[in-house]
Amino acid sequence: MPDSKATAIAHPNIAFIKYWGNRDDVLRLPSNGSISMNLEGLSTKTEVKFNPQLREDSLILNHKKLGGPALERVYAFLDIVRKLSGRQIYAEITSENNFPTGAGMASSASAFAALALAASNAIGLNLSETELSRLARRGSGSACRSIPDGFVEWYEGDKDENSYAASIAPAAFWDLVDCIALVTTSHKEVGSTAGHRLASTSPLQTARLQDAYRRLDFCRSAILKKDFQQLAEIIELDSNLMHAVMMTSKPALFYWEPQTIEVMRAVRNWRGQGIPACYTLDAGPNVHIICLSSASDKIQRNLAQMNFIQQVIVSKPGAGAASLPD
Ligand code: PMV
């Protein structure tokens, strides 16, 4: 049997309505639906080469051979792909991120979206967008949102078949910008896979989940109406709710640094002054400032005044995962 290889690219995404907690950790079925925007400026490019001569999978990330838990996670993911195709064949995976590694930018969404597309193509599966989204979800929940284009909703579902993401609107629909303020790179974090398992230990998680459909409706309609004030209100509330759950879980997870709060405060002040901007944070201390593109230069100038900020990465809404020619 000949080598079969394929290459794909995918972007990470920033959630406006967050995913935190699973109803099923193995299948990565989330406790609530979520909404996100793909980030054009950042990407992961992955080549997968299946070869009948190989005895095991191998992984090179940013020119470095990886073993340990990273390889094990990829190996478990490729097992799902092998099972789907009915072929017991191993692969060499070569992957590269265009964003700085170790800068505290989560990369599992773009990583597993690109891997799902490249691996399924290379092994000869011809998956639909929904099937690809379901597959990417098994590697990292949020990766299912990096498969469709632009502004995306992940329907929580209650089984593998109905838990997938679909586009609400294409990337070009609304010219929002995400200015990502990296406030520290030395932070030790609890990864999201471990974090999801703790969500239900917070007494606040039940309230957060009970209100989730309302927030999803409010966010979806803000996007479709391009109503920035409405979007800002729900994005900040949702981020605060997720971090309240994190801070009250057992053990408690505190992702914020003092500089994080300083940036959050500044963003609220700017909005008070009429600048269309709001903040959201993932499982880390960096602040994503979502704004209208007309405000992006002003925000970057403001951030440049805060000398503790190590770097600002600016990104527009991005496309979904795509195959690349070899
Ligand atoms: O896909 P995971 O398991 O890395 O979880 C992502 C969790 C958050 O980034 C904190 C929220 C989200 O919806 O992206």
Side-chain angles (χ1 to χ4, degrees):
M1 222 176 285
D3 282 14
S4 24
K5 64 176 187 173
T7 305
I9 187 168
H11 304 290
N13 61 74
I14 179 66
F16 294 168
I17 302 296
K18 308 288 188 185
Y19 148 54
W20 196 246
N22 286 321
R23 65 168 71 198
D24 183 321
D25 286 318
V26 175
L27 288 175
R28 294 184 195 269
L29 300 176
S31 303
N32 64 281
S34 52
I35 292 179
S36 62
M37 176 178 99
N38 288 337
L39 298 175
E40 183 193 51
L42 310 170
S43 60
T44 301
K45 192 175 147 187
T46 300
E47 182 195 69
V48 178
K49 233 191 273 184
F50 283 99
N51 177 346
Q53 313 292 326
L54 296 174
R55 294 291 193 78
E56 58 184 14
D57 299 314
S58 65
L59 170 64
I60 295 174
L61 176 62
N62 297 328
H63 311 286
K64 226 177 107 190
K65 200 170 160 92
L66 293 189
L71 180 62
E72 273 164 37
R73 191 163 171 189
V74 163
Y75 180 88
F77 183 79
L78 286 184
D79 268 350
I80 301 170
V81 176
R82 282 186 271 266
K83 207 164 166 196
L84 277 175
S85 72
R87 292 178 71 189
Q88 193 55 35
I89 182 170
Y90 295 97
E92 274 169 6
I93 300 157
T94 313
S95 191
E96 232 176 288
N97 294 326
N98 79 341
F99 43 98
T101 33
M105 294 292 311
S107 57
S108 65
S110 52
F112 281 101
L115 182 59
L117 182 54
S120 59
N121 279 343
I123 211 162
L125 290 165
N126 190 13
L127 300 182
S128 67
E129 182 182 281
T130 301
E131 289 166 330
L132 269 173
S133 177
R134 282 170 47 203
L135 175 61
R137 192 197 78 230
R138 302 289 299 275
S140 163
S142 58
C144 78
R145 298 190 310 239
S146 284
I147 297 289
D149 179 24
F151 300 88
V152 173
E153 179 160 2
W154 174 10
Y155 309 113
E156 61 191 80
D158 58 3
K159 50 181 180 285
D160 176 43
E161 290 75 11
N162 61 10
S163 186
Y164 61 90
S167 186
I168 300 173
F173 177 74
W174 196 6
D175 47 358
L176 295 183
V177 172
D178 183 2
C179 300
I180 310 163
L182 305 184
V183 300
T184 168
T185 54
S186 61
H187 192 79
K188 256 223 168 317
E189 288 166 20
V190 173
S192 47
T193 300
H196 290 299
R197 293 200 158 93
L198 299 179
S200 63
T201 66
S202 165
L204 301 184
Q205 174 74 340
T206 310
R208 178 182 164 273
L209 295 178
Q210 268 168 2
D211 183 55
Y213 290 116
R214 183 192 71 84
R215 295 196 306 283
L216 287 162
D217 286 346
F218 203 72
C219 181
R220 197 186 311 107
S221 84
I223 292 170
L224 292 173
K225 290 187 295 185
K226 301 186 193 173
D227 182 334
F228 190 83
Q229 282 308 322
Q230 180 171 332
L231 187 73
E233 186 187 316
I234 204 68
I235 283 183
E236 288 189 358
L237 171 67
D238 192 86
S239 175
N240 293 343
L241 278 170
M242 180 181 74
H243 283 270
V245 166
M246 291 164 160
M247 288 175 195
T248 51
S249 67
K250 203 174 164 190
L253 302 176
F254 279 83
Y255 288 104
W256 297 354
E257 294 290 329
Q259 303 92 324
T260 310
I261 300 172
E262 206 167 314
V263 178
M264 289 160 73
R265 282 227 166 108
V267 172
R268 289 178 74 95
N269 283 341
W270 300 339
R271 193 157 75 255
Q273 293 157 18
I275 299 174
C278 63
Y279 66 75
T280 183
L281 282 90
D282 281 343
N286 300 319
V287 186
H288 291 251
I289 301 162
I290 310 297
C291 64
L292 289 179
S293 66
S294 55
S296 161
D297 287 347
K298 170 79 178 145
I299 286 162
Q300 286 172 65
R301 281 199 300 277
N302 286 356
L303 291 172
Q305 309 283 312
M306 304 171 107
N307 52 19
F308 58 84
I309 293 177
Q310 308 203 350
Q311 195 182 345
V312 178
I313 297 174
V314 178
S315 178
K316 294 179 188 171
S323 298
L324 295 177
D326 289 323

